[in-house]
Amino acid sequence: MQFTETLAPQFLTSMNSKNQLHRTRPWPGLLLPASAGPKTTTTTVMTTTFTSFGDANCMEQLLVHCANAIESNDATLAQQILWVLNNTAPPDGDSNQRLTSGFLRALIARAARNGSCKMLAAVAASNYDINIAPQLLHTHRFSIIELASFVDLTPWHRFGFTAANATILEAVEGYSVVHIVDLSSTHCMQIPTLIDAIANRSVDALPPLVKLTVAHVVEEDGQVPPPPRMLDDISYEELGLKLVSFARSRNVALKFQVVRSSYKDGFSSLIDHLRVQKLLFKENSEALVINCHMMLHYISEEAQLPTALIHDPNNLFDPSALISHRTMFLKALRGLDPTVVVLVEEDADLTASDLVARLRSAFNYLWIPYDTMETFLPKGSKQREWYEADICWKIENVIAQEGAQRVERVEPKGRWVQRMRSASFRGIGFGEEAVTEVKAMLDEHAAGWGLKKEEEDHLVLTWKGHNVVFATAWLPC
């Protein structure tokens, strides 16, 4: 099968299930008394639980109490709560139960990795059928064909692809050279459709030269950095050759280059590379497109002193000097004076330093992918297994990891909007063409998916009315 037949969405079979499932979410309240806290007795927790098996509110509260018990090293209470959860939330149950099972596993992994509740970790490993060893949590590595089909299962990624491509096409109109910097977690799955659209729009004129730069997240300290790589046994160089070949088949000239970089320092080597490129081609009529698709949240958002100040012996601590790699990256992007920046991210907050707050936020967001699976993937299917493994990896990273290893630091749309404005960008709305294309794409999926416009015409993908992913577009002020 040809590359063009597997990556361009018009050649992929769409899932057309229109089943509508009902769910008790959102869960604004808690079933336990307001006074319940880390000291809540086991009897109170058990009694509340068994009065409402399978209730998502109850499962969330039990997970909270389990987290508090683990953090306070109360192995006895944690073990008893785990017993309840293990018997009410099997990993092959309904969507609520599978979600809870993923968090249960993550809490056990946290206890094992952080050295707390050693007895709990040992008991859990032997009695609860949960593997706590990190290497046992497998995420699937896809072939190109598998990954293209996998991405097309839901609008989770396609929403951002569609909205971004329409905006990019409009922004680069009239340029003879288009330089696209693709910061994406899906290994350029968006690019073939963009190339196809460029070719279709240039029927009566010579298509622009397309330069594509991607960041290859490098290994550090001898370890493969998270998140897990999705593609199996194919290098970015090989992927580039396939993209160049596909572009040639559409009469578009494509130059592909890879820059080794790391989100841990805010992609500093990528920024340096782009600065050099800007100097070399500053006289050319070249559009610079920065396409950020669910990648920037891996950059640390925690405020810290810049490296230059850390190593300056004369520097006195000044709170105003604190800045995050995330902020530095956006300011560096502004310095490149891009033609357009497209930012697509999940609309949730997984950045809290407090474990319980982070658990609640993740639980109240990650029910969505489990719920959507009920509409299009049968139990026992391989694709469902791969999908859930990917979510479980995210849950485990959010709950079990801390410091530099906790990279799933998703921020909500409002905070990203504030960051972009502070970096001297101004938002631009998505045109009617983009909205129309997104709506047409959503029609290919289950009825629960929706689209709404928020302030400045930012687009938000929803599931049963709940925000899932947002798409924003920006110009330098």
Side-chain angles (χ1 to χ4, degrees):
M1 186 173 292
Q2 297 297 312
F3 188 70
T4 56
E5 297 173 336
T6 59
L7 291 189
Q10 61 265 40
F11 298 111
L12 291 170
T13 302
S14 300
M15 307 297 292
N16 288 304
S17 171
K18 294 292 180 181
N19 297 330
Q20 176 73 43
L21 296 181
H22 297 283
R23 185 183 174 87
T24 58
R25 279 309 231 168
W27 309 301
L30 300 174
L31 293 182
L32 293 183
S35 60
K39 300 299 183 182
T40 302
T41 65
T42 305
T43 302
T44 302
V45 173
M46 299 290 191
T47 302
T48 306
T49 304
F50 285 114
T51 60
S52 52
F53 280 143
D55 183 272
N57 279 309
C58 186
M59 289 182 178
E60 178 186 0
Q61 188 64 13
L62 282 171
L63 288 169
V64 166
H65 282 285
C66 185
N68 278 320
I70 289 173
E71 292 301 277
S72 61
N73 209 31
D74 189 343
T76 301
L77 177 59
Q79 181 182 341
Q80 290 171 333
I81 299 174
L82 283 173
W83 182 87
V84 175
L85 286 168
N86 192 63
N87 283 279
T88 59
D92 59 349
D94 63 24
S95 59
N96 280 341
Q97 292 170 326
R98 299 197 312 280
L99 171 68
T100 303
S101 179
F103 277 87
L104 178 60
R105 175 200 172 99
L107 285 172
I108 294 171
R110 182 181 180 87
R113 292 169 184 170
N114 292 359
S116 61
C117 290
K118 287 291 188 181
M119 181 180 73
L120 167 65
V123 170
S126 59
N127 292 343
Y128 297 127
D129 298 323
I130 297 175
N131 294 315
I132 62 173
Q135 66 270 21
L136 294 179
L137 182 56
H138 293 294
T139 53
H140 184 68
R141 286 198 174 189
F142 299 87
S143 68
I144 290 179
I145 296 174
E146 286 178 335
L147 183 56
S149 298
F150 186 76
V151 165
D152 263 10
L153 286 175
T154 76
W156 207 281
H157 290 288
R158 289 189 70 196
F159 161 76
F161 292 174
T162 305
N165 284 351
T167 298
I168 291 170
L169 281 175
E170 183 177 345
V172 302
E173 185 74 30
Y175 283 91
S176 59
V177 181
V178 176
H179 185 184
I180 302 166
V181 181
D182 190 45
L183 285 168
S184 170
S185 60
T186 56
H187 304 287
C188 302
M189 289 296 108
Q190 174 182 347
I191 301 303
T193 311
L194 179 57
I195 292 172
D196 198 56
I198 290 173
N200 290 336
R201 182 164 287 199
S202 305
V203 172
D204 298 323
L206 185 68
L209 168 66
V210 178
K211 297 161 63 176
L212 177 62
T213 299
V214 300
H216 178 198
V217 178
V218 297
E219 296 184 9
E220 292 185 355
D221 302 324
Q223 297 180 346
V224 177
R229 179 176 168 83
M230 298 182 74
L231 280 178
D232 181 33
D233 296 330
I234 181 171
S235 67
Y236 270 109
E237 288 72 19
E238 293 174 291
L239 180 60
L241 289 175
K242 292 181 180 294
L243 285 167
V244 169
S245 177
F246 171 71
R248 188 182 300 117
S249 73
R250 303 296 288 121
N251 296 318
V252 174
L254 174 67
K255 291 184 177 181
F256 181 88
Q257 58 183 339
V258 179
V259 178
R260 292 172 65 83
S261 197
S262 172
Y263 51 79
K264 291 186 178 180
D265 62 3
F267 295 107
S268 61
S269 60
L270 174 65
I271 293 294
D272 289 342
H273 171 83
L274 294 175
R275 284 177 180 145
V276 171
Q277 293 294 302
K278 184 174 179 61
L279 289 173
L280 292 175
F281 298 100
K282 63 180 179 181
E283 301 300 329
N284 291 356
S285 175
E286 179 173 303
L288 177 60
V289 175
I290 311 294
N291 183 59
C292 307
H293 185 93
M294 299 189 191
M295 178 68 85
L296 297 195
H297 71 261
Y298 296 125
I299 303 174
S300 174
E301 93 295 353
E302 293 180 327
Q304 54 198 300
L305 280 174
T307 304
L309 294 181
I310 292 175
H311 298 294
D312 181 1
N314 300 318
N315 178 62
L316 297 176
F317 176 73
D318 179 3
S320 65
L322 293 174
I323 188 170
S324 69
H325 281 302
R326 199 167 289 189
T327 297
M328 287 189 285
F329 174 80
L330 294 179
K331 289 183 179 295
L333 280 190
R334 176 61 185 85
L336 296 172
D337 196 29
T339 307
V340 67
V341 176
V342 181
L343 174 60
V344 177
E345 279 287 351
E346 295 170 323
D347 199 1
D349 187 359
L350 305 182
T351 61
S353 57
D354 176 68
L355 173 64
V356 169
R358 210 159 65 233
L359 185 151
R360 288 190 187 279
S361 184
F363 193 83
N364 282 272
Y365 177 70
L366 292 175
W367 70 268
I368 296 174
Y370 278 95
D371 196 43
T372 63
M373 272 184 283
E374 300 291 343
T375 68
F376 67 92
L377 288 177
K379 286 185 178 181
S381 73
K382 276 295 182 183
Q383 285 184 318
R384 186 167 183 155
E385 178 185 319
W386 300 339
Y387 201 87
E388 293 195 2
D390 187 61
I391 304 168
C392 283
W393 185 92
K394 184 189 291 283
I395 293 171
E396 188 164 324
N397 189 263
V398 170
I399 301 302
Q401 301 286 7
E402 293 293 352
Q405 291 302 311
R406 179 162 62 84
V407 299
E408 284 291 342
R409 295 172 179 258
V410 174
E411 287 187 313
K413 180 173 72 70
R415 206 174 298 165
W416 278 111
V417 168
Q418 184 179 17
R419 286 185 184 278
M420 294 298 290
R421 289 173 177 166
S422 297
S424 299
F425 286 99
R426 62 180 178 87
I428 57 172
F430 289 87
E432 285 305 313
E433 183 177 347
V435 173
T436 300
E437 290 186 16
V438 170
K439 287 180 177 178
M441 180 272 297
L442 292 180
D443 285 341
E444 301 172 8
H445 295 276
W449 295 104
L451 174 69
K452 66 181 181 182
K453 274 190 175 184
E454 294 192 343
E455 71 278 4
E456 295 184 330
D457 289 334
H458 298 155
L459 298 183
V460 180
L461 174 69
T462 64
W463 172 253
K464 298 180 179 179
H466 300 273
N467 287 13
V468 181
V469 176
F470 67 84
T472 59
W474 303 87
L475 298 178
C477 289

